[in-house]
């Protein structure tokens, strides 16, 4: 049984980041994608600098390929991402000097993205990584200095108002990094969500990236109990949670890959115990195509090996999805 059919049975999305180039050139990349997943996230192709590099120019071929492929195969698309203060924002935006100019650029960008992808993108990561990478404070790029200390609220409000004007109704999400392991980031993320909700803004959910970059970037994995508690801190606000970018550095020996499989199983199962966690997306699916190689070397982070063979990590995730399906079945019998 594929991950996709297990996820369908469990009523959740199992997703992957996807890139346009192997989708064009490698039949087995496309085959594995459409067989194993029911949701996709463009790895880079829907980021601002790729989609809308100049104020009046949109370059959408790659993003369109991803959106059309998903549509043709009945898969959801998570739009990633409208705004990302750390990276992938064109200079003409970061060089705005007034709040009005920057928020006008934000509104134009939303208008174009919602218009182009109204039929295909079900949910957008409105702001990706609003916080500093490793500290519990807001990212301090030009967004903070130009728009002001409440910039995430201001930007989210413009996105929500633009969607309403267009009668578009994508789900609007925040996407955060390392809140699964750093408690000050978790606290700020919850505070931000509370502020958005208190302002009456339609925050649909919070994506937890869950890049497991141990030991190179973070000292240790979250325990399954801790991850479940972080997910609960989100869902207890009355909104959804998702795992949006999971990958995991491993020692590529057989024992290392078994250990990785165990961690994948335990962490994904712990997250999926929560009925308001609706999606688990991985940041790619084959070790042949992963951002990890460039940044951390050959670390076998994904569910399929370089030859598209399933690894223990795949079996771990399949077990976790089966577990969720069994929880759903038990609930249905009880009601
Ligand atoms: C990464 C891509 O995988 C790389 O190809 C690109 O060079 C940089 O961005 N968090 C995110 C993703 O939200 O958008 C990042 O994707 C990985 C970390």
């Amino acid at each position: 049984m594929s991950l996709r059919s297990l996820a369908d049975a469990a009523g959740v999305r199992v997703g992957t980041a996807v890139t346009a180039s192997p989708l064009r050139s490698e039949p087995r990349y496309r085959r594995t994608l459409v067989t194993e997943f029911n949701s996709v996230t463009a790895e880079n192709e829907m980021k601002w600098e790729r989609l809308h590099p100049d104020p009046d120019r949109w370059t959408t071929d790659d993003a369109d390929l991803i959106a059309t492929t998903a549509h043709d195969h009945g898969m959801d698309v998570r739009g990633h991402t409208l705004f990302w203060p750390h990276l992938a924002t064109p200079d003409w935006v970061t060089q705005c000097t007034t709040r009005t100019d920057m928020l006008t650029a934000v509104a134009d960008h939303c208008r174009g993205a919602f218009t182009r992808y109204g039929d295909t993108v079900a949910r957008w990561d409105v702001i990706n990584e609003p916080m500093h990478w490793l500290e519990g404070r807001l990212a301090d790029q030009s967004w903070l200095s130009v728009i002001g200390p409440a910039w995430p609220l201001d930007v989210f409000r413009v996105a929500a108002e633009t969607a309403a004007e267009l009668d578009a109704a994508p789900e609007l999400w925040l996407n955060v990094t390392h809140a699964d392991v750093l408690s000050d980031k978790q606290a700020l993320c919850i505070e931000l969500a509370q502020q958005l909700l208190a302002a009456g803004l339609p925050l649909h959910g919070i994506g937890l990236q869950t890049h497991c970059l141990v030991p190179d970037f973070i000292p240790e994995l979250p325990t399954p109990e801790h991850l479940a508690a972080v997910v609960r801190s989100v869902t207890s606000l009355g909104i959804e949670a998702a795992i949006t970018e999971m990958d995991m550095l491993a020692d590529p020996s057989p024992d290392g890959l078994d250990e990785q499989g165990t961690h994948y199983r335990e962490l994904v199962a712990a997250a999926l115990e929560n009925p308001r966690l609706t999606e688990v997306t991985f940041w790619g699916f084959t070790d042949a195509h992963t951002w990890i190689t460039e940044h951390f070397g050959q670390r076998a982070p994904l569910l399929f090996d370089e030859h598209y063979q399933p690894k223990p990590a795949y079996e771990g995730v399949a077990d976790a999805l089966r577990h969720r399906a069994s929880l759903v079945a038990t609930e249905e019998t009880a009601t």
Side-chain angles (χ1 to χ4, degrees):
M1 245 183 147
S2 64
L3 298 181
R4 181 176 185 160
S5 47
L6 292 169
D8 286 344
V12 294
R13 299 185 295 279
V14 63
T16 177
V18 58
T19 58
S21 148
L23 189 56
R24 281 202 177 86
S25 61
E26 286 185 47
R28 61 185 175 169
Y29 183 92
R30 171 183 286 264
R31 217 169 33 239
T32 309
L33 173 73
V34 303
T35 308
E36 295 288 348
F37 299 94
N38 60 14
S39 179
V40 299
T41 304
E43 183 166 349
N44 291 301
E45 291 79 347
M46 291 189 182
K47 290 173 182 167
W48 193 337
E49 71 179 3
R50 292 284 293 274
L51 207 55
H52 182 192
D54 298 305
D56 296 319
R57 190 163 65 97
W58 286 74
T59 47
T60 59
D61 285 0
D62 288 347
D64 290 351
L65 172 72
I66 291 170
T68 311
T69 303
H71 186 253
D72 291 349
H73 290 89
M75 307 161 90
D76 273 27
V77 182
R78 180 173 202 101
H80 178 81
T81 168
L82 292 171
F83 309 110
W84 187 15
H86 293 283
L87 283 170
T89 309
D91 291 345
W92 61 273
V93 182
T94 52
Q95 286 165 2
C96 284
T97 53
T98 68
R99 173 182 158 86
T100 309
D101 284 355
M102 203 154 179
L103 290 176
T104 302
V106 162
D108 285 348
H109 186 58
C110 289
R111 204 168 292 117
F114 293 155
T115 306
R116 279 176 175 76
Y117 297 108
D119 293 338
T120 40
V121 173
R123 54 196 60 81
W124 281 96
D125 291 332
V126 176
I127 305 177
N128 187 36
E129 302 182 347
M131 296 176 279
H132 183 276
W133 263 320
L134 290 173
E135 292 171 26
R137 59 185 169 89
L138 288 181
D140 52 9
Q141 273 76 7
S142 52
W143 300 77
L144 182 64
S145 53
V146 178
I147 301 178
W151 73 263
L153 262 87
D154 294 327
V155 166
F156 203 95
R157 179 177 292 110
V158 170
E161 287 174 356
T162 311
E165 271 163 33
L166 292 170
D167 246 347
E171 295 170 7
L172 303 178
W173 290 65
L174 286 184
N175 198 42
V176 302
T177 177
H178 302 318
D180 50 324
V181 278
L182 301 173
S183 54
D184 56 346
K185 290 199 69 174
Q186 182 198 352
L188 180 59
C189 157
I190 296 301
E191 197 182 313
L192 272 178
Q194 283 168 331
Q195 288 170 2
L196 291 168
L197 294 168
L201 293 168
L203 174 67
H204 192 92
I206 294 189
L208 303 165
Q209 293 183 358
T210 325
H211 289 288
C212 295
L213 308 176
V214 178
D216 301 42
F217 202 69
I218 49 172
E220 46 192 40
L221 288 174
T223 62
E225 296 72 24
H226 183 73
L227 183 61
V230 174
V231 171
R232 207 160 43 241
S233 69
V234 172
T235 58
S236 63
L237 299 173
I239 56 177
E240 290 185 12
I243 302 283
T244 50
E245 304 188 13
M246 191 170 191
D247 50 16
M248 192 184 294
L249 303 184
D251 150 19
S253 67
D255 284 352
L257 296 180
D258 280 343
E259 194 186 328
Q260 181 192 46
T262 304
H263 291 313
Y264 262 114
R265 187 181 65 246
E266 292 177 352
L267 289 172
V268 174
L272 283 172
E273 289 265 341
N274 188 312
R276 301 218 65 189
L277 183 127
T278 46
E279 170 180 337
V280 178
T281 282
F282 303 95
W283 209 236
F285 54 95
T286 161
D287 290 340
H289 297 290
T290 156
W291 73 306
I292 293 294
T293 311
E294 187 189 333
H295 295 270
F296 301 94
Q298 303 280 351
R299 308 291 285 278
L302 296 169
L303 308 188
F304 291 84
D305 71 13
E306 295 185 348
H307 307 289
Y308 293 79
Q309 295 307 306
K311 294 160 55 185
Y314 176 96
E315 300 306 333
V317 171
D319 281 350
L321 287 168
R322 269 186 214 106
H323 180 59
R324 169 75 170 237
S326 72
L327 294 177
V328 174
T330 315
E331 240 165 57
E332 277 167 5
T333 322
T335 51

